[in-house]
Amino acid sequence: MRPARAAAAGPAPSANGLPAGPPVTRAEPAGSAKPAGAATPAEPSADGSPAAEPAEPAAPAGKAGVVPGTAPVEPAAPAELVAWCAALTRLIGRSTAVAVDVRPLGVRDAFRAAPDAAPGVPVRLYGRHAVVGPAPATADPHTAAVGSASGAAGLAACPHCLERRWQAVRSVALREAVELGGDTLAAGRPPYVTPFAADAVAAVVEAAARHAGVVHLVDLAELTVRRYPLLPDPECPGCGHPEPDTAEAAGRALRLTEPAPKHRPGSFRVRELGAYHLPTDAYANPVCGALGPSVVYDVSSTSTSATIGCFSLRSGDYLRETFWGGHADRFGDSVRIGILEGLERYAGMRPRTRASAVRASLAELTADGADVVDPRQCGLYAPEFHAANPHVAPFAPEREIAWVWGYSLGRERPVLVPEVLTYYHTPGLAGRFVQESSNGCASGGSLAEAVYFGLMEVIERDAFLLTWYGRQPLPEIDPASSTRAATRQMVDRLAMYGYEARFFDAALTFPVPVVAGVAVRHDGGLGRMCFGAGAGLDPEAALASALCEIATDAVNLPGRTEREETRLRAMAADFDLVAALHDHPLVYGVPEMGRHAEFLLGAPGAPRPERHALTERFGPGRTLTPADDLRDDVRGCVAAVAEAGFEVVVVDQTMPGQRELGLHTVSVLVPGLLPIDFGWRRQRALTMPRLRTGLRAAGLRDRDLTPADLNPAPHPFP
């Protein structure tokens, strides 16, 4: 029997207002730094594409609550907590006639447990806190709308949603204890069950009974009350509504039948950013934030008003952090952009409301005449990767995999798409023969808007990789030729901080402006350079997008390089150590890595070719002319992609909550284009035919590339 570490009965509050320690703990050996069997997380990614995730080990024999090869056994609430809840129920009943359902939090795994809420207003207890709400569903439309985060009928969250949301924003230690099946135990009798505290909770219960869609956090020690919106969990087994994944549903959802007029000239959106109802406290709060416990404002940034948030998702023993954020000129806009990005990544990680209805091998489907996306066209890992990572089985045509329904925009018909190519964090590492990223995932106020931005991202990444690995020199653009004052001012600001912003015409294959950006440190010191890119039918917007990326990263790069210099220099000497998303851009903070970019930037001190005006490079006749309707823009781009021999396939990832906001989220695939990967040994682009033939097909080389022509260094894309 292993000794258990008991937490104090009344843990001190943490900085976010929640208890620093839970009233239940996981049994573990004395002095253990982390629970036995817990995976070491990879470095968190910025876009949902991880480094090489650790293998999912089987639960070790003897782990409390776990039988190897089975799901953890759901623990019963300790008797002390049951008695605590019963006592508080009686005390609350003396002050209000409203029925209550009092239970502890942090005892069972809400992601595995079935909903079992009793009638009454939920009161959930944890440490020194009581979480009151959400109010039971009501037929009164006025009551249902009061306090609702979405204001939409039919989307009221249930008590089980609260338990799932609450658990999702807990600390790693508590989540691993509850979710991996460790023992939990009461740490003593809580001192907070007093008549005075019960009277306060009763008053909150009466108020909460009139407000749907919100919960109230009562501090039983200080009797303070905070109110937070609660959004429904789309995967909740109690109130979620699974949607069918069929060819017919994909056809209905993904046909470009509806017009999508732009909300103003020069925009590629159907409505303003401020038109979406995005209450920050519904998406980022320490009790039930749908996208994590908080949003951080980077007040130290000297370029953009950056914000960042984070949520965690489990796959087996691996609890992975996914970051989201915005980089606008104002914090208010950055928060809203970040929330939209967070929702996009939340939707794209796994099919939360759609279960894959098709499991079959590629060989079986093609033999039956099914229309499918062949994963080999999207790139596979080299055999050396699988030899070094035997837990990742390679793809084979005879291997049974999960498929989801997508839609070919060019051929206007449904097609089957491998699930792992569009949902990039589907549970089970063994089933992921490739680790996709959020590349091609996008949200918009219409289907056409979402498809447009997803397709631009795919084209942008393909052009960047073709340029980098093909070591292709590009014509340089003079940023002073931009008609946007904000662009010219940001270039000047970077110069003030010691960086020259340089931009290049990277439109290689398609009639779509693509701009690659590089911020280069004037003195060649630590934080040597960082990269970015942008694509869009408006070349000014493409340049601004590339500038935003390098402006955000450049001002922080010297400090990060200095802090991690030892690790980054080791990577520069051994590219196999480049394993995570952030490793790719950060290693180019090491001055010696600059030589790998000389094909584009030239050697230090060497004469430079003449720079070109933006309109000179992207004038009429070379690129598509934007229309007044995004649907027409998308159709023009799809036709151009088809003319080059490729196909645009779209998968609908929209969640019910996004649909209520007027949003669409899609994953756009163009099989055959180069996919972005992170981790030097995971570079599918290096094995794909397009890397050899793309520059010749674009008229930039007179022959296909050979292995000796390729850049030997990992790409620096952020």
Side-chain angles (χ1 to χ4, degrees):
M1 179 176 181
R2 295 180 295 172
R5 296 190 303 180
S14 65
N16 65 5
L18 291 174
V24 291
T25 64
R26 179 178 182 167
E28 57 187 58
S32 174
K34 66 176 182 178
T40 300
E43 181 174 344
S45 76
D47 79 335
S49 53
E53 294 180 2
E56 295 176 6
K63 180 189 284 187
V66 175
V67 177
T70 68
V73 177
E74 183 180 322
E80 295 92 335
L81 292 180
V82 173
W84 182 30
C85 294
L88 187 58
T89 301
R90 290 192 297 271
L91 291 172
I92 292 173
R94 299 190 317 176
S95 302
T96 179
V98 178
V100 294
D101 173 26
V102 182
R103 303 187 187 199
L105 289 168
V107 175
R108 66 174 188 169
D109 183 358
F111 296 126
R112 293 181 182 271
D116 61 351
V121 174
V123 178
R124 299 293 183 259
L125 304 174
Y126 179 76
R128 62 188 283 173
H129 291 89
V131 183
V132 181
T138 175
D140 182 349
H142 172 72
T143 303
V146 174
S148 172
S150 66
L155 281 185
C158 72
H160 198 61
C161 288
L162 167 64
E163 295 176 9
R164 291 170 61 93
R165 296 286 196 201
W166 180 89
Q167 185 172 314
V169 297
R170 291 311 98 206
S171 67
V172 172
L174 177 59
R175 287 196 61 176
E176 290 192 337
V178 174
E179 296 168 19
L180 297 184
D183 284 341
T184 58
L185 52 86
R189 177 176 174 78
Y192 309 115
V193 182
T194 65
F196 193 61
D199 287 345
V201 173
V204 174
V205 165
E206 292 194 341
R210 301 190 299 271
H211 296 271
V214 297
V215 296
H216 296 77
L217 179 69
V218 183
D219 187 318
L220 299 175
E222 299 180 358
L223 298 186
T224 56
V225 181
R226 295 186 179 94
R227 172 171 149 167
Y228 299 103
L230 172 65
L231 295 176
D233 185 331
E235 295 180 278
C236 177
C239 65
H241 299 284
E243 301 174 352
D245 183 39
T246 64
E248 294 76 15
R252 287 193 302 270
L254 295 169
R255 286 193 185 96
L256 290 170
T257 57
E258 298 295 326
K262 300 170 183 177
H263 75 89
R264 61 173 173 79
S267 172
F268 287 81
R269 300 287 184 183
V270 298
R271 60 178 65 93
E272 291 278 5
L273 179 64
Y276 298 101
H277 182 63
L278 299 171
T280 303
D281 55 353
Y283 296 99
N285 75 66
V287 175
C288 54
L291 296 176
S294 63
V295 57
V296 176
Y297 296 75
D298 185 3
V299 296
S300 65
S301 174
T302 53
S303 55
T304 60
S305 300
T307 59
I308 191 168
C310 175
F311 63 88
S312 299
L313 184 68
R314 180 173 296 284
S315 180
D317 270 6
Y318 179 60
L319 187 61
R320 173 176 161 221
E321 293 178 306
T322 297
F323 286 81
W324 49 267
H327 307 90
D329 293 331
R330 296 179 295 182
F331 282 119
D333 288 344
S334 293
V335 170
R336 299 178 71 80
I337 292 169
I339 290 172
L340 290 172
E341 182 178 75
L343 287 172
E344 170 204 308
R345 290 178 179 169
Y346 190 85
M349 297 185 77
R350 64 189 187 202
R352 297 179 185 274
T353 59
R354 298 179 182 88
S356 300
V358 178
R359 286 196 64 87
S361 69
L362 176 65
E364 291 172 329
L365 292 174
T366 53
D368 290 341
D371 204 345
V372 301
V373 170
D374 188 334
R376 293 171 295 190
Q377 292 183 301
C378 299
L380 300 174
Y381 296 144
E384 294 79 9
F385 170 83
H386 293 287
N389 298 272
H391 62 281
V392 181
F395 172 79
E398 298 76 22
R399 177 180 172 182
E400 183 181 278
I401 61 174
W403 302 77
V404 296
W405 282 101
Y407 191 78
S408 168
L409 294 182
R411 294 184 292 127
E412 297 187 328
R413 59 178 298 172
V415 296
L416 282 168
V417 179
E419 184 183 62
V420 298
L421 294 185
T422 185
Y423 290 103
Y424 48 92
H425 197 63
T426 50
L429 288 174
R432 284 186 240 161
F433 49 85
V434 296
Q435 175 58 67
E436 265 297 353
S437 69
S438 63
N439 184 35
C441 296
S443 295
S446 69
L447 173 63
E449 181 184 324
V451 172
Y452 171 80
F453 283 99
L455 180 56
M456 292 303 104
E457 189 169 88
V458 171
I459 290 174
E460 165 203 308
R461 309 290 170 83
D462 170 79
F464 189 94
L465 292 173
L466 200 55
T467 297
W468 181 263
Y469 286 127
R471 293 195 280 198
Q472 176 61 40
L474 299 175
E476 187 164 0
I477 296 168
D478 184 359
S481 67
S482 171
T483 60
R484 295 188 180 185
T487 293
R488 301 191 303 271
Q489 290 164 3
M490 183 60 74
V491 169
D492 292 342
R493 182 181 297 183
L494 283 177
M496 182 175 66
Y497 289 113
Y499 280 89
E500 179 186 10
R502 300 180 64 181
F503 302 92
F504 301 87
D505 174 4
L508 305 179
T509 302
F510 307 107
V512 173
V514 181
V515 176
V518 192
V520 185
R521 183 164 169 169
H522 290 302
D523 62 5
L526 288 179
R528 173 73 181 274
M529 60 183 63
C530 61
F531 294 76
L537 295 185
D538 178 7
E540 289 280 0
L543 189 150
S545 179
L547 173 60
C548 182
E549 288 189 342
I550 62 175
T552 300
D553 294 342
V555 294
N556 297 315
L557 188 57
R560 289 201 66 176
T561 306
E562 183 178 358
R563 289 191 299 272
E564 302 183 50
E565 184 174 0
T566 300
R567 185 178 75 90
L568 295 177
R569 286 193 179 278
M571 287 182 196
D574 181 1
F575 294 150
D576 283 347
L577 299 178
V578 176
L581 182 148
H582 294 300
D583 294 343
H584 282 262
L586 284 178
V587 74
Y588 287 88
V590 176
E592 291 78 9
M593 290 295 291
R595 69 181 186 276
H596 297 294
E598 288 182 359
F599 73 90
L600 182 66
L601 304 175
R608 296 185 185 179
E610 181 182 359
R611 295 190 296 181
H612 304 267
L614 191 63
T615 53
E616 177 187 346
R617 295 304 308 172
F618 301 116
R622 182 167 182 254
T623 59
L624 297 174
T625 301
D628 294 329
D629 191 298
L630 275 162
R631 181 178 58 173
D632 296 332
D633 287 338
V634 170
R635 286 174 172 171
C637 292
V638 169
V641 170
E643 186 176 349
F646 301 95
E647 179 180 28
V648 178
V649 176
V650 181
V651 175
D652 182 23
Q653 297 179 330
T654 311
M655 297 184 300
Q658 292 176 305
R659 196 172 293 116
E660 292 291 336
L661 290 170
L663 289 168
H664 297 254
T665 296
V666 299
S667 171
V668 178
L669 299 88
V670 182
L673 295 193
L674 301 181
I676 195 82
D677 286 307
F678 300 96
W680 178 231
R681 290 302 175 190
R682 290 175 175 253
Q683 297 301 301
R684 287 175 287 165
L686 296 175
T687 69
M688 294 179 66
R690 176 161 171 77
L691 187 57
R692 272 70 179 174
T693 64
L695 294 176
R696 176 188 54 77
L700 298 172
R701 301 288 177 92
D702 58 5
R703 59 174 177 81
D704 289 348
L705 301 183
T706 67
D709 296 320
L710 302 182
N711 198 326
H715 71 75
F717 198 85

